[in-house]
Amino acid sequence: MNQESMLERTLVLLKPCIVMRGLMGEIITRFERKGLRIVGMKMLQMDDELLRQHYSHLVSKPFFPILRDSMQASPVVAMCVEGLEAVRVVRAMAGVTNGRDAAVGTIRGDYSMSGQQNVVHASDSPLAAKEELARFFRPDEVFDFGDINLDVLYAADEVDRKA
Ligand code: IDP
Ligand code: MG
């Protein structure tokens, strides 16, 4: 099987800032509109342990307590998003970390004025996506959509079909 023709999965979190602004639907719509498939989704409250694991690269930063509080201010929505090169595509849709620097047209560029309250988390590599998805979803919480709409999302030779 050609590596590039396999669908990839990535973790998206809708952060509390956007949950509390009541704009979850707008962000979810952008992924659906793009043609990505949401194959797992749930709302959860991140506890200290999950946060330390998820942001292990930032635990020693002086801003970590503020980041932790902002990520615990409400539940988050976790999504498993699937598509060809989904990790790269979703990162591009998110835009750069600081919402003030993010290009207009990206999610952060359109919905955030902040370096921290920046609407979404998106996995930054295929390896990170695997680890992060395993952290947020049990295997039975992610669904196999099979071939149902691949013909309208991709060319016949772009994605491997099951059959
Ligand atoms: P990313 O979300 O674009 O991958 P990371 O560097 O992995 O960026 O940082 C994770 C999150 O931590 C960011 O999305 C942002 O919410 C927060 N963060 C990163 N750097 C800073 C900072 O310098 N001050 C405050 N918050 C930050
Ligand atoms: Mg990151």
Side-chain angles (χ1 to χ4, degrees):
M1 199 181 278
N2 176 349
Q3 202 57 21
E4 267 143 39
S5 61
M6 284 170 58
L7 295 177
E8 199 171 68
R9 289 175 169 177
T10 189
L11 177 74
V12 172
L13 299 178
L14 303 185
K15 296 186 176 186
C17 58
I18 207 76
V19 172
M20 291 190 287
R21 286 163 68 189
L23 293 171
M24 290 178 285
E26 288 199 24
I27 308 304
I28 293 166
T29 294
R30 291 170 79 116
F31 295 113
E32 293 185 317
R33 207 166 59 189
K34 177 67 173 165
L36 289 154
R37 308 200 293 188
I38 298 169
V39 297
M41 181 157 75
K42 62 177 169 184
M43 186 176 267
L44 69 140
Q45 180 70 38
M46 290 183 75
D47 64 20
D48 288 351
E49 181 57 22
L50 182 59
L51 256 163
R52 265 196 301 272
Q53 289 171 2
H54 180 68
Y55 283 141
S56 58
H57 60 303
L58 300 174
V59 169
S60 59
K61 299 277 188 198
F63 61 80
F64 183 75
I66 299 174
L67 174 61
R68 183 193 56 214
D69 289 350
S70 76
M71 290 298 290
Q72 292 181 330
S74 83
V76 300
V77 174
M79 296 192 283
C80 177
V81 175
E82 183 184 74
L84 203 58
E85 300 180 78
V87 172
R88 181 174 71 78
V89 170
V90 169
R91 284 289 286 192
M93 290 176 72
V96 298
T97 304
N98 189 322
R100 294 190 302 280
D101 297 330
V104 171
T106 63
I107 293 170
R108 288 164 169 172
D110 287 354
Y111 288 91
S112 170
M113 281 294 288
S114 169
Q116 179 172 92
Q117 305 285 56
N118 57 3
V119 182
V120 287
H121 165 81
S123 307
D124 65 8
S125 70
L127 178 63
K130 266 204 174 59
E131 290 175 1
E132 292 177 355
L133 284 168
R135 192 174 292 137
F136 280 84
F137 290 96
R138 295 193 315 262
D140 67 342
E141 292 175 327
V142 177
F143 297 87
D144 184 358
F145 278 27
D147 292 349
I148 50 163
N149 54 3
L150 294 183
D151 287 342
V152 291
L153 293 173
Y154 299 101
D157 61 356
E158 268 179 321
V159 176
D160 287 315
R161 307 300 201 265
K162 288 257 149 49

